[in-house]
Every structure is written in structure tokens, then in C-alpha cells.
């Protein structure tokens, strides 16, 4: 890390705060509704904090629950069923992205020797929510640098890779 941020540290040492990587509790509930009780947010499903979606999921749950109750349903049970059915796919997609991100960070040591641009590219695309094509639209110059780093690294490791000019 000191090497990556050396330009910013200006010769000062990198200080560590003895942070420990904790085991993240993965919660996946088969049912979110029981009678007239409902689970929202992290009570029903967690998403690893590396993608920063916990609060977003909880707020979207609350909105979906309010919407389900505001629509005309013959019973509370039907409204709660709509909430659960309507939210499940989005929650599971977010959890999958979070799982992929978690695995990336658990094995971050594989990427320590990467060029800083290539490392940053990996961090940004780790959960597959941002793809290479999507990132190219947002930051073409950055992706060009990332592509060059990948091609150089592939060549260093004896991997033949077709790298075209952008």
C-alpha cells in the first residue's frame, strides 16, 4: 500500500491501525413474512459492506413494503406476499454481487503486485456491476491505461493476449 500511495505520503511511513478483517455474517432468509410480521434490511438479508448497499437495500425494502400496502389488496397477507415476491430477485442479485466482492477482497494478495491502474481497474470491476464496456463509456482514458497494464502483465507472465489499440 505504501508503494501505491507513495506519491501522496511524500516519504512518510504508512501507519496501520491494527484493523482486523472480521467474519461477515451472511444472512439469507427463506421467508421474510410471518403472519403480520415482516423482515426488512439486514434482518432478512445481508450484503457484504464492500459494495456499500446495506442501507440502500433497507430503504428499498421499506419503500416496497409501503407500496405493497398502499395498493388495493384484499388482505394484508396478499400485500406482504407482493412485498416479498417483488423484492427477492433484486435482493439476491445484490447479494451475489456482494459475495463476489467479498471473495475479491479475501484474495486481494493476488493483486498486490499489479500496476496501480490495473489494481484500481480490478477494484472497480470486482463485483461485475461495472463491466469493462460500461467503464469504457465512463472513463475511456482510464480503461486504456488499464488495458495496457493487463497486456504488459500478460506478456511478463508468458500469456499471449491480443491487445488492440484503443
Amino acid at each position: 500500500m505504501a508503494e501505491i500511495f507513495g506519491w501522496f505520503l511524500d516519504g512518510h511511513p504508512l501507519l496501520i491501525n491494527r484493523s482486523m478483517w472480521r467474519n461477515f455474517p451472511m444472512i439469507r432468509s427463506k421467508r421474510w413474512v410471518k403472519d403480520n410480521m415482516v423482515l426488512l434490511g439486514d434482518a432478512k438479508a445481508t450484503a457484504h459492506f464492500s459494495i456499500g448497499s446495506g442501507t440502500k437495500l433497507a430503504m428499498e425494502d421499506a419503500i416496497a413494503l409501503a407500496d405493497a400496502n398502499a395498493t388495493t389488496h384484499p388482505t394484508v397477507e396478499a400485500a406482504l406476499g407482493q412485498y416479498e415476491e417483488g423484492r427477492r430477485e433484486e435482493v439476491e442479485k445484490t447479494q451475489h454481487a456482494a459475495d463476489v466482492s467479498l471473495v475479491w477482497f479475501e484474495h486481494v494478495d493476488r493483486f498486490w503486485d499489479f500496476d496501480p491502474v490495473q489494481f484500481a481497474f480490478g477494484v472497480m470491476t470486482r463485483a461485475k456491476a461495472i463491466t469493462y464496456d460500461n467503464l469504457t463509456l465512463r472513463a475511456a482514458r482510464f480503461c486504456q491505461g488499464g488495458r495496457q497494464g493487463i497486456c504488459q502483465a500478460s506478456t511478463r507472465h508468458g500469456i499471449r493476449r491480443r491487445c488492440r489499440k484503443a
Side-chain angles (χ1 to χ4, degrees):
M1 292 303 280
E3 209 174 295
I4 292 172
F5 294 104
W7 62 272
F8 183 77
L9 294 170
D10 194 29
H12 297 281
L14 183 65
L15 303 177
I16 60 172
N17 65 0
R18 296 179 39 159
S19 294
M20 300 298 189
W21 188 262
R22 65 179 224 152
N23 289 328
F24 185 79
M26 230 179 257
I27 297 172
R28 285 174 168 73
S29 301
K30 287 183 181 178
R31 295 293 315 223
W32 303 347
V33 174
K34 171 76 167 114
D35 300 326
N36 66 348
M37 296 175 284
V38 181
L39 297 175
L40 298 174
D42 285 349
K44 66 156 181 50
T46 56
H48 190 260
F49 50 81
S50 66
I51 66 166
S53 291
T55 302
K56 174 185 169 285
L57 285 174
M59 294 303 292
E60 288 172 348
D61 288 347
I63 291 166
L65 182 59
D67 288 348
N69 283 307
T71 58
T72 310
H73 284 287
T75 64
V76 170
E77 182 181 1
L80 298 180
Q82 179 189 326
Y83 154 73
E84 184 170 347
E85 185 179 322
R87 288 287 298 144
R88 188 163 292 277
E89 182 179 351
E90 185 62 31
V91 169
E92 288 176 354
K93 285 195 299 190
T94 301
Q95 283 185 305
H96 176 71
D99 293 348
V100 172
S101 180
L102 167 66
V103 169
W104 193 93
F105 278 107
E106 285 181 339
H107 300 285
V108 74
D109 57 320
R110 291 186 273 176
F111 311 109
W112 282 140
D113 295 330
F114 279 23
D115 170 82
V117 173
Q118 189 181 4
F119 183 85
F121 181 84
V123 171
M124 288 191 288
T125 59
R126 73 190 178 279
K128 313 301 183 239
I130 298 175
T131 64
Y132 175 80
D133 292 337
N134 181 270
L135 193 56
T136 300
L137 292 173
R138 296 178 184 194
R141 285 182 54 211
F142 174 80
C143 286
Q144 183 177 3
R147 185 181 316 111
Q148 288 171 351
I150 291 167
C151 289
Q152 290 166 357
S154 298
T155 303
R156 276 195 308 268
H157 295 287
I159 300 169
R160 291 178 184 248
R161 182 178 207 97
R162 188 183 342 173
C163 296
R164 63 189 197 300
K165 300 262 187 213

